């Protein structure tokens, strides 16, 4: 018996979210009294794999079948489901991210498992198996009882945190025995922006709305983000008007993020915007309108013109970094 | 060629969520029902593709798993241009049940391209499209922000963290779409609404598998502490508070 966790790597490296995921899987496995087994697809150096022991992985299965070089949802699901069956998995854990959304539902069908997406806590009970998850984009929480033998969960990012625990880990190769004729996702071109902080990974985010008034006013916002080491985001109208790239749009119809800090500059705080950012640990709102809904969702607020306030924040952030 | 678009009937995104007295159910009284925003964009793209396909795309069918109260939403999809509709007569309990029932229909009524939204704005399942593809044993591509036909071959882009990938898979397949797939949804015109009444809406009884999970209760998020206001003149003080009090920088 085991809890299986899919630990994705990016160019052979894990991210903090992978450690959070292993911590979460280990906590469930401890409750069930079973092993925590990580599945790693592709080439990851051994020293990287060994780090997973610090968060509770007893074993890592390395899957290197050539069919998995490109993300083919069906091939990934086959590999992970096969490993889950071979190890008698009771629970299979994914991150609620790009790959998790692509693969987890297919794994659930392969394992005839009920699935809970965007789970925010450890199971509320194990028998029956009940988890709590975001619904209505975090406007409420649902308690979902899963009745199948195997359960597939995807964890909302930054909802559990990284928990250290020290176990000894073994590394094994696992042949997923894929029939290459069945998988046919053809990657024609890949475009990535290098050097920029990926918004969904960012621990700190500085975001601008229509209250910024003009795309020309983004200089100080970007400067503040650079000083803090933060990612940059924006509201939907800002992306729609072409002031900022679409990749920065957060909210109901954009990206959903859960950083430790979200600074909203000249954003009203419409319910569809909050749907993408309300899980942030600390929220700051800067707005000229004392009635702006963002002040109700924020921990800190500044009433005033963002274009006058931003230079002050930049200056203070510079001074802070100079001393720390 | 035939395209199927999966529609979910959801409360309008501005709905204020209320729970029943004992928190065992959501209070849906007075809710405005709409097409799930991503499904609506999927439909918009399907219609765009059909219009420029010079007859190569014959029909756009929409499908919903739901009871008769979902029909106004289905009619709206017909009013903006879908050719016909299927309703599987079942109030579904989870994504597994939805996907399995749509799969049961598709097995007897094949389509070349199936579109579904990346998630529904109510229960945020993000699972129907992927599950459907697995039930049908066909490829799925997720987070699709672009879909076009290059001759007879569909071409897609999917949004990966920090970039995009251009992808091709053979038909039939499921594309799970998100922001970017189409601009604004279409608004039904009077003529469309009239025509929608005459379009075929087939109602079938469920033949797929049952649910694997069920909601047993709900909770509201913890109320936030009141916002701490900082004087605009001393805005820089925010940085100190974020470091010393909130400990996030
Ligand atoms: C189905 C649907 C989905 C949607 N999805 C999203 C989504 O994913 N993300 C999203 O962001 N929106 C989304 N929206 C739009 C959303 O409803 C709001 O219209 C949008 O978030 C408003 O953006 P904003 O706050 O930047 O602009 P505005 O609403 O124009 O607000 C600007 C704010 O800036 C303040 N302001 C003005 N001048 C200044 C100044 N000099 N200094 C400081 N503050 C100033 C104003 O008081 C105001 O609060 C969606 C809407 C719908 C219907």
């Amino acid at each position: 018996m085991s809890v299986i966790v899919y630990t994705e790597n990016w160019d052979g490296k894990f991210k903090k979210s992978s450690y959070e995921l292993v911590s979460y899987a280990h906590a469930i496995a401890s409750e069930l009294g079973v092993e925590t087994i990580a599945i790693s697809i592709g080439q990851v150096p051994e020293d990287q794999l060994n780090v997973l022991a610090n968060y509770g992985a007893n074993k890592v299965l390395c899957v290197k079948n050539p069919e998995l070089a490109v993300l083919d949802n069906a091939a990934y699901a086959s590999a992970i489901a096969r490993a889950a069956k071979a190890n008698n998995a009771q629970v299979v854990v994914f991150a609620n991210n790009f790959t998790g959304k692509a693969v987890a539902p297919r794994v659930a069908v392969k394992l005839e498992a009920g699935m809970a997406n965007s789970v925010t806590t450890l199971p509320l009970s194990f028998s029956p198996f009940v988890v709590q998850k975001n619904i209505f984009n975090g406007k409420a929480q649902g308690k979902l009882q899963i009745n199948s033998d195997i359960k597939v969960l995807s964890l909302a990012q930054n909802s559990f945190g990284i928990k250290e625990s020290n176990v000894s880990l073994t590394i094994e190769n696992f042949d997923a025995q894929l029939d290459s004729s069945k998988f046919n996702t053809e990657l024609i071109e890949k475009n990535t922006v290098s050097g920029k902080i990926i918004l969904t990974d960012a621990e700190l985010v500085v975001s601008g709305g229509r209250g910024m008034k003009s795309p020309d006013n983004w200089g100080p916002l970007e400067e503040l983000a650079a000083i803090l080491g933060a990612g940059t985001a924006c509201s939907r109208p800002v992306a729609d008007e072409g002031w900022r790239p679409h990749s920065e749009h957060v909210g109901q119809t954009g990206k959903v993020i859960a950083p430790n800090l979200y600074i909203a500059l000249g954003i009203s705080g419409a319910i569809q915007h909050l749907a993408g950012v309300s899980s942030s640990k600390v929220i700051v709102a800067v707005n000229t309108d004392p009635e702006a809904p963002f002040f109700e969702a924020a921990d800190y607020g500044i009433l005033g013109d963002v274009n006058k306030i931003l230079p002050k924040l930049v200056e203070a952030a510079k001074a802070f970094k100079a001393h720390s | 060629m035939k395209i199927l678009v999966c529609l979910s009937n959801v409360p309008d995104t501005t709905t204020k969520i209320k729970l029943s007295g004992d928190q065992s159910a959501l209070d849906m009284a007075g809710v405005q029902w709409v097409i799930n925003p991503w499904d609506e964009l999927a439909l918009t793209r399907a219609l765009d593709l059909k219009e420029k396909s010079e007859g190569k795309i014959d029909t756009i069918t929409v499908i919903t798993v739901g009871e008769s109260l979902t029909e106004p939403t289905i009619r709206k999809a017909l009013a903006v241009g879908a050719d016909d509709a299927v309703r599987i007569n079942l109030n579904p309990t989870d994504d597994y049940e939805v996907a399995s029932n749509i799969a049961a229909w598709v097995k007897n009524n094949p389509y070349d391209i199936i579109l579904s939204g990346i998630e529904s704005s109510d229960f945020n399942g993000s699972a129907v499209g992927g599950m459907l593809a697995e039930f049908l044993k066909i490829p799925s591509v997720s987070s699709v922000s672009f879909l076009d036909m290059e001759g007879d071959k569909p071409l897609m882009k999917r949004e990966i963290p920090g970039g995009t990938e251009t992808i091709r898979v053979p038909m039939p397949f499921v594309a799970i779409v998100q922001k970017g797939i189409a601009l604004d949804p279409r608004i039904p015109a009077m003529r469309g609404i009239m025509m929608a009444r005459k379009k075929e809406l087939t109602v079938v009884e469920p033949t797929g598998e049952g649910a694997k999970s069920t909601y047993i209760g709900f909770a509201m998020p913890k109320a936030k502490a009141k916002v701490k206001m900082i004087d605009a003149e001393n805005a820089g003080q925010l940085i100190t508070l974020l470091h010393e009090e909130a400990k996030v920088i």
Side-chain angles (χ1 to χ4, degrees), chain A residues 106 117 133 136-137 141 143 145 147 186 188-189 191 249 252 299-301, chain B residues 15 38 122-124 134 164 166 168 179 212 214 216-217 219 224 228 230 245:
Chain A
R106 300 196 70 129
N117 182 59
K133 66 176 293 277
F136 293 94
N137 295 90
Q141 296 274 308
K143 293 170 188 168
Q145 177 175 324
N147 301 315
E186 188 191 341
I188 295 163
E189 199 186 339
N191 279 306
H249 161 193
Q252 170 117 40
D299 302 279
Y300 297 98
Chain B
T15 303
W38 289 274
D122 49 3
F123 295 107
N124 306 146
E134 188 60 43
T164 57
T166 308
R168 212 195 298 278
K179 178 186 159 60
K212 300 277 184 198
T214 174
I216 57 164
K224 270 230 162 195
K228 189 173 203 167
I230 297 159
E245 190 178 83

mmCIF file of all heavy atoms in Angstrom, chain A residues 106 117 133 136-137 141 143 145 147 186 188-189 191 249 252 299-301, chain B residues 15 38 122-124 134 164 166 168 179 212 214 216-217 219 224 228 230 245:
data_model
loop_
_atom_site.group_PDB
_atom_site.id
_atom_site.type_symbol
_atom_site.label_atom_id
_atom_site.label_comp_id
_atom_site.label_asym_id
_atom_site.label_seq_id
_atom_site.Cartn_x
_atom_site.Cartn_y
_atom_site.Cartn_z
ATOM 1 N N ARG A 106 -7.244 11.933 -16.350
ATOM 2 C CA ARG A 106 -7.085 10.685 -17.112
ATOM 3 C C ARG A 106 -6.656 9.558 -16.178
ATOM 4 O O ARG A 106 -7.103 8.417 -16.328
ATOM 5 C CB ARG A 106 -6.070 10.870 -18.247
ATOM 6 C CG ARG A 106 -6.473 11.946 -19.260
ATOM 7 C CD ARG A 106 -5.670 11.842 -20.555
ATOM 8 N NE ARG A 106 -6.044 10.683 -21.304
ATOM 9 C CZ ARG A 106 -6.390 10.664 -22.598
ATOM 10 N NH1 ARG A 106 -6.398 11.775 -23.308
ATOM 11 N NH2 ARG A 106 -6.715 9.546 -23.188
ATOM 12 N N ASN A 117 -10.147 18.161 -7.017
ATOM 13 C CA ASN A 117 -9.217 19.116 -7.576
ATOM 14 C C ASN A 117 -9.171 20.355 -6.681
ATOM 15 O O ASN A 117 -10.167 20.712 -6.082
ATOM 16 C CB ASN A 117 -9.746 19.484 -8.963
ATOM 17 C CG ASN A 117 -8.848 20.433 -9.676
ATOM 18 O OD1 ASN A 117 -7.696 20.129 -9.891
ATOM 19 N ND2 ASN A 117 -9.382 21.574 -10.038
ATOM 20 N N LYS A 133 -12.071 21.331 -0.452
ATOM 21 C CA LYS A 133 -11.514 21.916 -1.673
ATOM 22 C C LYS A 133 -12.154 23.256 -1.991
ATOM 23 O O LYS A 133 -13.257 23.561 -1.535
ATOM 24 C CB LYS A 133 -11.705 20.949 -2.857
ATOM 25 C CG LYS A 133 -13.165 20.727 -3.243
ATOM 26 C CD LYS A 133 -13.282 19.850 -4.473
ATOM 27 C CE LYS A 133 -12.749 20.473 -5.740
ATOM 28 N NZ LYS A 133 -13.650 21.366 -6.445
ATOM 29 N N PHE A 136 -16.197 27.634 -6.378
ATOM 30 C CA PHE A 136 -16.461 29.021 -6.752
ATOM 31 C C PHE A 136 -15.194 29.870 -6.594
ATOM 32 O O PHE A 136 -15.227 30.943 -5.988
ATOM 33 C CB PHE A 136 -17.627 29.594 -5.950
ATOM 34 C CG PHE A 136 -18.941 28.942 -6.296
ATOM 35 C CD1 PHE A 136 -19.416 27.868 -5.560
ATOM 36 C CD2 PHE A 136 -19.676 29.378 -7.387
ATOM 37 C CE1 PHE A 136 -20.616 27.245 -5.900
ATOM 38 C CE2 PHE A 136 -20.876 28.758 -7.722
ATOM 39 C CZ PHE A 136 -21.346 27.692 -6.986
ATOM 40 N N ASN A 137 -14.082 29.341 -7.110
ATOM 41 C CA ASN A 137 -12.805 30.046 -7.086
ATOM 42 C C ASN A 137 -12.434 30.559 -5.699
ATOM 43 O O ASN A 137 -11.977 31.684 -5.552
ATOM 44 C CB ASN A 137 -12.816 31.219 -8.083
ATOM 45 C CG ASN A 137 -12.925 30.719 -9.498
ATOM 46 O OD1 ASN A 137 -14.025 30.563 -10.008
ATOM 47 N ND2 ASN A 137 -11.808 30.415 -10.104
ATOM 48 N N GLN A 141 -15.780 26.780 0.337
ATOM 49 C CA GLN A 141 -15.082 25.503 0.391
ATOM 50 C C GLN A 141 -16.122 24.387 0.374
ATOM 51 O O GLN A 141 -17.174 24.511 0.989
ATOM 52 C CB GLN A 141 -14.273 25.404 1.694
ATOM 53 C CG GLN A 141 -13.163 26.443 1.806
ATOM 54 C CD GLN A 141 -11.894 25.956 1.134
ATOM 55 O OE1 GLN A 141 -11.415 24.860 1.402
ATOM 56 N NE2 GLN A 141 -11.358 26.770 0.239
ATOM 57 N N LYS A 143 -16.893 20.208 1.002
ATOM 58 C CA LYS A 143 -16.403 18.974 1.624
ATOM 59 C C LYS A 143 -16.835 17.819 0.744
ATOM 60 O O LYS A 143 -18.022 17.517 0.634
ATOM 61 C CB LYS A 143 -16.974 18.833 3.036
ATOM 62 C CG LYS A 143 -16.411 19.907 3.950
ATOM 63 C CD LYS A 143 -17.098 19.978 5.282
ATOM 64 C CE LYS A 143 -16.569 21.213 6.020
ATOM 65 N NZ LYS A 143 -17.363 21.536 7.190
ATOM 66 N N GLN A 145 -16.783 13.949 -0.366
ATOM 67 C CA GLN A 145 -16.528 12.570 0.061
ATOM 68 C C GLN A 145 -16.243 11.726 -1.173
ATOM 69 O O GLN A 145 -17.037 11.705 -2.113
ATOM 70 C CB GLN A 145 -17.745 12.035 0.808
ATOM 71 C CG GLN A 145 -17.581 10.577 1.222
ATOM 72 C CD GLN A 145 -18.751 10.093 2.068
ATOM 73 O OE1 GLN A 145 -19.301 10.841 2.882
ATOM 74 N NE2 GLN A 145 -19.143 8.850 1.876
ATOM 75 N N ASN A 147 -15.749 8.045 -2.742
ATOM 76 C CA ASN A 147 -16.199 6.706 -2.350
ATOM 77 C C ASN A 147 -15.441 5.563 -3.028
ATOM 78 O O ASN A 147 -15.636 4.412 -2.679
ATOM 79 C CB ASN A 147 -17.695 6.568 -2.658
ATOM 80 C CG ASN A 147 -18.513 7.614 -1.908
ATOM 81 O OD1 ASN A 147 -18.293 7.847 -0.725
ATOM 82 N ND2 ASN A 147 -19.414 8.271 -2.605
ATOM 83 N N GLU A 186 2.443 15.710 -31.056
ATOM 84 C CA GLU A 186 3.596 16.176 -31.815
ATOM 85 C C GLU A 186 3.888 17.614 -31.390
ATOM 86 O O GLU A 186 3.026 18.494 -31.516
ATOM 87 C CB GLU A 186 3.208 16.105 -33.302
ATOM 88 C CG GLU A 186 4.317 16.374 -34.267
ATOM 89 C CD GLU A 186 3.755 16.532 -35.686
ATOM 90 O OE1 GLU A 186 2.601 16.085 -35.950
ATOM 91 O OE2 GLU A 186 4.458 17.114 -36.513
ATOM 92 N N ILE A 188 5.521 20.921 -32.122
ATOM 93 C CA ILE A 188 6.021 21.579 -33.326
ATOM 94 C C ILE A 188 6.952 22.723 -32.960
ATOM 95 O O ILE A 188 7.960 22.949 -33.604
ATOM 96 C CB ILE A 188 4.832 22.070 -34.184
ATOM 97 C CG1 ILE A 188 4.064 20.834 -34.672
ATOM 98 C CG2 ILE A 188 5.297 22.906 -35.363
ATOM 99 C CD1 ILE A 188 2.697 21.114 -35.161
ATOM 100 N N GLU A 189 6.597 23.434 -31.900
ATOM 101 C CA GLU A 189 7.405 24.584 -31.519
ATOM 102 C C GLU A 189 7.191 24.880 -30.043
ATOM 103 O O GLU A 189 6.099 24.672 -29.523
ATOM 104 C CB GLU A 189 6.955 25.794 -32.349
ATOM 105 C CG GLU A 189 7.972 26.897 -32.399
ATOM 106 C CD GLU A 189 7.422 28.134 -33.111
ATOM 107 O OE1 GLU A 189 6.442 28.006 -33.878
ATOM 108 O OE2 GLU A 189 7.968 29.211 -32.871
ATOM 109 N N ASN A 191 7.892 27.976 -27.195
ATOM 110 C CA ASN A 191 8.324 29.357 -26.960
ATOM 111 C C ASN A 191 8.302 29.645 -25.478
ATOM 112 O O ASN A 191 7.246 29.598 -24.861
ATOM 113 C CB ASN A 191 7.350 30.341 -27.626
ATOM 114 C CG ASN A 191 7.634 30.475 -29.095
ATOM 115 O OD1 ASN A 191 8.758 30.772 -29.483
ATOM 116 N ND2 ASN A 191 6.626 30.218 -29.914
ATOM 117 N N HIS A 249 -2.322 38.421 -16.884
ATOM 118 C CA HIS A 249 -3.718 38.569 -16.445
ATOM 119 C C HIS A 249 -4.077 37.521 -15.374
ATOM 120 O O HIS A 249 -3.965 36.339 -15.601
ATOM 121 C CB HIS A 249 -4.597 38.452 -17.698
ATOM 122 C CG HIS A 249 -6.042 38.123 -17.459
ATOM 123 N ND1 HIS A 249 -6.876 37.725 -18.468
ATOM 124 C CD2 HIS A 249 -6.804 38.120 -16.348
ATOM 125 C CE1 HIS A 249 -8.075 37.496 -17.991
ATOM 126 N NE2 HIS A 249 -8.062 37.716 -16.706
ATOM 127 N N GLN A 252 -10.480 35.223 -12.452
ATOM 128 C CA GLN A 252 -11.375 34.143 -12.865
ATOM 129 C C GLN A 252 -11.043 33.579 -14.241
ATOM 130 O O GLN A 252 -11.007 32.380 -14.446
ATOM 131 C CB GLN A 252 -12.781 34.732 -12.895
ATOM 132 C CG GLN A 252 -13.802 33.849 -13.508
ATOM 133 C CD GLN A 252 -14.845 33.479 -12.494
ATOM 134 O OE1 GLN A 252 -15.274 34.289 -11.680
ATOM 135 N NE2 GLN A 252 -15.231 32.256 -12.504
ATOM 136 N N ASP A 299 -5.195 43.090 3.582
ATOM 137 C CA ASP A 299 -4.664 43.158 4.939
ATOM 138 C C ASP A 299 -4.137 44.560 5.225
ATOM 139 O O ASP A 299 -4.244 45.060 6.330
ATOM 140 C CB ASP A 299 -3.539 42.143 5.096
ATOM 141 C CG ASP A 299 -4.023 40.736 4.799
ATOM 142 O OD1 ASP A 299 -4.617 40.142 5.705
ATOM 143 O OD2 ASP A 299 -3.857 40.271 3.657
ATOM 144 N N TYR A 300 -3.523 45.161 4.188
ATOM 145 C CA TYR A 300 -3.019 46.524 4.312
ATOM 146 C C TYR A 300 -3.595 47.355 3.178
ATOM 147 O O TYR A 300 -3.762 46.850 2.060
ATOM 148 C CB TYR A 300 -1.486 46.554 4.216
ATOM 149 C CG TYR A 300 -0.810 45.798 5.341
ATOM 150 C CD1 TYR A 300 -0.360 44.493 5.151
ATOM 151 C CD2 TYR A 300 -0.629 46.386 6.593
ATOM 152 C CE1 TYR A 300 0.251 43.792 6.187
ATOM 153 C CE2 TYR A 300 -0.016 45.698 7.628
ATOM 154 C CZ TYR A 300 0.418 44.388 7.423
ATOM 155 O OH TYR A 300 1.011 43.707 8.440
ATOM 156 N N GLY A 301 -3.893 48.606 3.475
ATOM 157 C CA GLY A 301 -4.445 49.468 2.432
ATOM 158 C C GLY A 301 -3.799 50.841 2.460
ATOM 159 O O GLY A 301 -3.391 51.326 3.530
ATOM 160 N N THR B 15 -22.321 35.898 -8.685
ATOM 161 C CA THR B 15 -23.207 35.353 -7.651
ATOM 162 C C THR B 15 -22.548 35.386 -6.277
ATOM 163 O O THR B 15 -21.394 34.997 -6.119
ATOM 164 C CB THR B 15 -23.559 33.884 -7.995
ATOM 165 O OG1 THR B 15 -24.148 33.847 -9.279
ATOM 166 C CG2 THR B 15 -24.509 33.297 -6.968
ATOM 167 N N TRP B 38 -15.645 29.548 -19.847
ATOM 168 C CA TRP B 38 -14.684 28.922 -20.771
ATOM 169 C C TRP B 38 -15.395 28.116 -21.849
ATOM 170 O O TRP B 38 -14.933 28.032 -22.973
ATOM 171 C CB TRP B 38 -13.710 28.020 -20.008
ATOM 172 C CG TRP B 38 -12.767 28.806 -19.198
ATOM 173 C CD1 TRP B 38 -11.584 29.337 -19.600
ATOM 174 C CD2 TRP B 38 -12.936 29.198 -17.837
ATOM 175 N NE1 TRP B 38 -11.009 30.035 -18.577
ATOM 176 C CE2 TRP B 38 -11.811 29.974 -17.490
ATOM 177 C CE3 TRP B 38 -13.924 28.988 -16.885
ATOM 178 C CZ2 TRP B 38 -11.652 30.525 -16.222
ATOM 179 C CZ3 TRP B 38 -13.765 29.537 -15.629
ATOM 180 C CH2 TRP B 38 -12.643 30.284 -15.306
ATOM 181 N N ASP B 122 -18.161 26.861 -11.059
ATOM 182 C CA ASP B 122 -18.846 26.543 -9.801
ATOM 183 C C ASP B 122 -17.996 25.603 -8.926
ATOM 184 O O ASP B 122 -17.454 26.004 -7.915
ATOM 185 C CB ASP B 122 -20.261 26.008 -10.028
ATOM 186 C CG ASP B 122 -20.342 24.892 -11.067
ATOM 187 O OD1 ASP B 122 -19.291 24.476 -11.594
ATOM 188 O OD2 ASP B 122 -21.459 24.434 -11.344
ATOM 189 N N PHE B 123 -17.817 24.358 -9.370
ATOM 190 C CA PHE B 123 -17.084 23.427 -8.507
ATOM 191 C C PHE B 123 -15.616 23.286 -8.883
ATOM 192 O O PHE B 123 -14.887 22.501 -8.289
ATOM 193 C CB PHE B 123 -17.804 22.075 -8.456
ATOM 194 C CG PHE B 123 -19.150 22.209 -7.792
ATOM 195 C CD1 PHE B 123 -20.318 22.151 -8.517
ATOM 196 C CD2 PHE B 123 -19.219 22.472 -6.435
ATOM 197 C CE1 PHE B 123 -21.555 22.330 -7.903
ATOM 198 C CE2 PHE B 123 -20.439 22.655 -5.806
ATOM 199 C CZ PHE B 123 -21.613 22.584 -6.541
ATOM 200 N N ASN B 124 -15.176 24.063 -9.864
ATOM 201 C CA ASN B 124 -13.745 24.122 -10.214
ATOM 202 C C ASN B 124 -13.127 22.736 -10.366
ATOM 203 O O ASN B 124 -12.040 22.462 -9.855
ATOM 204 C CB ASN B 124 -12.944 24.914 -9.156
ATOM 205 C CG ASN B 124 -13.488 26.302 -8.885
ATOM 206 O OD1 ASN B 124 -13.430 26.789 -7.777
ATOM 207 N ND2 ASN B 124 -14.046 26.949 -9.899
ATOM 208 N N GLU B 134 -10.150 10.128 -21.762
ATOM 209 C CA GLU B 134 -9.686 8.819 -21.293
ATOM 210 C C GLU B 134 -10.786 7.761 -21.471
ATOM 211 O O GLU B 134 -10.498 6.643 -21.896
ATOM 212 C CB GLU B 134 -9.248 8.916 -19.825
ATOM 213 C CG GLU B 134 -8.575 7.671 -19.294
ATOM 214 C CD GLU B 134 -7.303 7.279 -20.042
ATOM 215 O OE1 GLU B 134 -6.491 8.173 -20.344
ATOM 216 O OE2 GLU B 134 -7.131 6.080 -20.321
ATOM 217 N N THR B 164 4.565 28.990 -24.339
ATOM 218 C CA THR B 164 3.559 28.220 -25.072
ATOM 219 C C THR B 164 4.223 27.099 -25.871
ATOM 220 O O THR B 164 5.390 27.185 -26.224
ATOM 221 C CB THR B 164 2.789 29.092 -26.095
ATOM 222 O OG1 THR B 164 3.736 29.674 -26.984
ATOM 223 C CG2 THR B 164 1.974 30.162 -25.443
ATOM 224 N N THR B 166 3.388 24.744 -29.399
ATOM 225 C CA THR B 166 2.529 24.483 -30.552
ATOM 226 C C THR B 166 2.465 22.974 -30.732
ATOM 227 O O THR B 166 3.497 22.305 -30.785
ATOM 228 C CB THR B 166 3.095 25.163 -31.810
ATOM 229 O OG1 THR B 166 3.327 26.530 -31.509
ATOM 230 C CG2 THR B 166 2.120 25.045 -32.973
ATOM 231 N N ARG B 168 0.333 19.330 -32.247
ATOM 232 C CA ARG B 168 -0.624 18.688 -33.133
ATOM 233 C C ARG B 168 -0.921 17.284 -32.607
ATOM 234 O O ARG B 168 -0.012 16.579 -32.165
ATOM 235 C CB ARG B 168 -0.047 18.591 -34.538
ATOM 236 C CG ARG B 168 -1.100 18.673 -35.614
ATOM 237 C CD ARG B 168 -0.628 18.241 -36.962
ATOM 238 N NE ARG B 168 0.459 19.011 -37.541
ATOM 239 C CZ ARG B 168 0.305 20.165 -38.178
ATOM 240 N NH1 ARG B 168 -0.872 20.712 -38.279
ATOM 241 N NH2 ARG B 168 1.338 20.775 -38.714
ATOM 242 N N LYS B 179 -8.364 30.840 -21.529
ATOM 243 C CA LYS B 179 -8.245 32.204 -22.015
ATOM 244 C C LYS B 179 -7.415 32.252 -23.295
ATOM 245 O O LYS B 179 -6.411 31.579 -23.418
ATOM 246 C CB LYS B 179 -7.543 33.018 -20.938
ATOM 247 C CG LYS B 179 -7.297 34.453 -21.312
ATOM 248 C CD LYS B 179 -6.466 35.126 -20.245
ATOM 249 C CE LYS B 179 -5.779 36.373 -20.783
ATOM 250 N NZ LYS B 179 -6.694 37.396 -21.292
ATOM 251 N N LYS B 212 -18.407 8.952 -8.378
ATOM 252 C CA LYS B 212 -17.442 8.365 -7.443
ATOM 253 C C LYS B 212 -17.292 9.233 -6.197
ATOM 254 O O LYS B 212 -16.566 8.886 -5.279
ATOM 255 C CB LYS B 212 -16.057 8.274 -8.107
ATOM 256 C CG LYS B 212 -16.018 7.432 -9.369
ATOM 257 C CD LYS B 212 -15.878 5.974 -9.028
ATOM 258 C CE LYS B 212 -15.731 5.144 -10.283
ATOM 259 N NZ LYS B 212 -16.009 3.732 -10.012
ATOM 260 N N THR B 214 -19.135 12.712 -3.757
ATOM 261 C CA THR B 214 -20.322 13.538 -3.525
ATOM 262 C C THR B 214 -20.037 14.581 -2.441
ATOM 263 O O THR B 214 -19.300 14.311 -1.503
ATOM 264 C CB THR B 214 -21.521 12.645 -3.151
ATOM 265 O OG1 THR B 214 -22.605 13.471 -2.801
ATOM 266 C CG2 THR B 214 -21.229 11.751 -1.966
ATOM 267 N N ILE B 216 -20.652 16.589 0.793
ATOM 268 C CA ILE B 216 -21.436 16.332 1.997
ATOM 269 C C ILE B 216 -21.594 17.586 2.856
ATOM 270 O O ILE B 216 -22.287 17.577 3.862
ATOM 271 C CB ILE B 216 -20.819 15.203 2.847
ATOM 272 C CG1 ILE B 216 -19.367 15.535 3.211
ATOM 273 C CG2 ILE B 216 -20.887 13.868 2.114
ATOM 274 C CD1 ILE B 216 -18.829 14.677 4.337
ATOM 275 N N GLY B 217 -20.931 18.670 2.484
ATOM 276 C CA GLY B 217 -21.089 19.891 3.253
ATOM 277 C C GLY B 217 -20.276 21.015 2.641
ATOM 278 O O GLY B 217 -19.487 20.787 1.712
ATOM 279 N N ALA B 219 -18.455 25.185 3.447
ATOM 280 C CA ALA B 219 -18.032 26.148 4.456
ATOM 281 C C ALA B 219 -17.660 27.432 3.757
ATOM 282 O O ALA B 219 -17.266 27.427 2.587
ATOM 283 C CB ALA B 219 -16.834 25.601 5.230
ATOM 284 N N LYS B 224 -11.771 37.725 6.894
ATOM 285 C CA LYS B 224 -10.475 38.410 7.008
ATOM 286 C C LYS B 224 -10.529 39.434 8.128
ATOM 287 O O LYS B 224 -11.570 40.052 8.376
ATOM 288 C CB LYS B 224 -10.186 39.142 5.688
ATOM 289 C CG LYS B 224 -9.439 38.273 4.697
ATOM 290 C CD LYS B 224 -8.230 39.010 4.147
ATOM 291 C CE LYS B 224 -7.261 38.040 3.515
ATOM 292 N NZ LYS B 224 -5.947 38.553 3.267
ATOM 293 N N LYS B 228 -5.689 47.152 7.521
ATOM 294 C CA LYS B 228 -4.939 48.159 8.269
ATOM 295 C C LYS B 228 -4.550 49.261 7.297
ATOM 296 O O LYS B 228 -3.850 49.001 6.320
ATOM 297 C CB LYS B 228 -3.679 47.480 8.827
ATOM 298 C CG LYS B 228 -2.887 48.310 9.800
ATOM 299 C CD LYS B 228 -1.779 47.444 10.398
ATOM 300 C CE LYS B 228 -1.312 47.959 11.726
ATOM 301 N NZ LYS B 228 -0.487 46.957 12.424
ATOM 302 N N ILE B 230 -2.718 52.580 5.904
ATOM 303 C CA ILE B 230 -1.437 53.260 6.077
ATOM 304 C C ILE B 230 -1.568 54.642 5.434
ATOM 305 O O ILE B 230 -2.112 54.765 4.328
ATOM 306 C CB ILE B 230 -0.309 52.448 5.403
ATOM 307 C CG1 ILE B 230 -0.164 51.087 6.091
ATOM 308 C CG2 ILE B 230 1.009 53.213 5.426
ATOM 309 C CD1 ILE B 230 0.509 50.050 5.249
ATOM 310 N N GLU B 245 5.946 42.880 10.526
ATOM 311 C CA GLU B 245 4.677 42.392 11.056
ATOM 312 C C GLU B 245 4.166 41.198 10.244
ATOM 313 O O GLU B 245 3.945 40.111 10.773
ATOM 314 C CB GLU B 245 3.654 43.533 11.020
ATOM 315 C CG GLU B 245 2.364 43.231 11.751
ATOM 316 C CD GLU B 245 1.431 44.434 11.708
ATOM 317 O OE1 GLU B 245 0.716 44.586 10.689
ATOM 318 O OE2 GLU B 245 1.440 45.221 12.674
#
